[in-house]
Amino acid sequence: MATPYTYLTTAEAADYLRLKERKVYDLVAQGVIPCTRVTGKLLFPRHSLDLWLMHHLEGDQASRRLAPPVLAGSQDPLLEWAVRESGCDLALLCHGSGDGVRRLAQGETMLASVHLIDPESGDYNAPWRLGLGGMRDLVGVRWARRCQGLLLAPGNPRGLTGLADLDRPGLVMARRQPDAGAERLLLHLVTREGMNLQALTFAPHPALSEDDLALAIRQGEADVGLGVEAAARRQDIDFLPLHWEPFDLLLRRRDYFEAPVQRLLAFAREPRFAERAAALGGYDLGEQGTVVYNA
């Protein structure tokens, strides 16, 4: 039995779609059906065919209001770079995962980048826990798995070894805004450690991005903060790994095949994308591009 991520040959795709092979070749030539070429041979990701079918069963496409070409949600160094380098023409509006979810539900964005943990269950990006359970055309695509941990001043002058050290007297912690996925993760990790978040001393102003948080530590405005390894490397500060998390893109099925989205996803399959991820550090691309949710 085929798995959701099986690659079908042209003959298998034709059989799966109940079409003649010639018709499949015509659709490929027109650029309207998802496929890839490997050593000159056409292969069709089955999950993409499923999305393509459902996309074309939703009625008159011309009558729908398309979402603006905006990517809202969590800021991520690798995603930010890929948006620029891919030429996908998506505008970035990264004010935190929660903001991205709200804008997606309201039709204000084409994509939402999210890494929202449910503190009770430990589940990530579950639509029914994000208030998106009623969105019947929702799709989730895995962008990467990221390493989250403690960002520390160069040389770790306070000698921090883990979460249990965060309540030391005089220690100042940088934190993200309430809508950010990192803020939810901090609450989850601290609670799991048996600590009280209110007992920690925080910097007076929240950092509005991964890079802002890393820069605050680099400039001595805080001693420590929770963030991704890539941000620590970019600011040349120390990093103590704690947790691997899924970082996903959420979008409506009708937007999956829009040109900006397809250009971004296609770019993520290029060798230099993997090279950039390795250079930034703290990324696992083993599931990159996988459809992890399809309402």
Side-chain angles (χ1 to χ4, degrees), residues 171-246:
L171 191 75
V172 177
M173 186 167 190
R175 72 189 300 182
R176 297 291 307 282
Q177 69 270 38
D179 265 353
E183 185 69 6
R184 278 206 196 183
L185 178 60
L186 177 63
L187 174 61
H188 173 72
L189 294 177
V190 166
T191 302
R192 191 176 66 181
E193 192 75 15
M195 301 170 65
N196 182 359
L197 194 67
Q198 303 306 316
L200 307 184
T201 301
F202 292 101
H205 304 292
L208 300 182
S209 73
E210 295 281 355
D211 289 328
D212 285 350
L213 187 140
L215 186 60
I217 295 168
R218 177 72 189 180
Q219 294 179 338
E221 298 171 10
D223 301 298
V224 61
L226 182 72
V228 295
E229 182 176 350
R233 287 199 187 191
R234 291 218 289 195
Q235 293 297 333
D236 197 25
I237 59 177
D238 283 22
F239 181 76
L240 180 65
L242 295 177
H243 178 82
W244 281 89
E245 65 173 10

Side-chain angles (χ1 to χ4, degrees), residues 126-186:
W128 51 93
R129 297 187 185 277
L130 302 181
L132 299 177
M135 191 178 289
R136 298 184 179 181
D137 61 343
L138 184 68
V139 173
V141 179
R142 179 63 37 84
W143 181 252
R145 292 179 69 246
R146 311 189 308 176
C147 188
Q148 288 267 11
L150 295 181
L151 280 64
L152 311 166
N156 189 13
R158 300 298 297 265
L160 304 181
T161 61
L163 290 168
D165 296 331
L166 295 183
D167 60 358
R168 285 185 186 177
L171 191 75
V172 177
M173 186 167 190
R175 72 189 300 182
R176 297 291 307 282
Q177 69 270 38
D179 265 353
E183 185 69 6
R184 278 206 196 183
L185 178 60
L186 177 63

Side-chain angles (χ1 to χ4, degrees), residues 111-141:
L111 288 159
S113 51
V114 301
H115 63 116
L116 287 168
I117 192 170
D118 176 60
E120 294 183 4
S121 67
D123 292 339
Y124 262 92
N125 305 332
W128 51 93
R129 297 187 185 277
L130 302 181
L132 299 177
M135 191 178 289
R136 298 184 179 181
D137 61 343
L138 184 68
V139 173
V141 179

Side-chain angles (χ1 to χ4, degrees), residues 50-61 64 253:
D50 290 338
L51 287 169
W52 181 79
L53 278 172
M54 299 180 80
H55 177 75
H56 287 81
L57 287 174
E58 290 180 356
D60 180 12
Q61 305 298 303
R64 293 182 323 199
R253 190 181 301 114

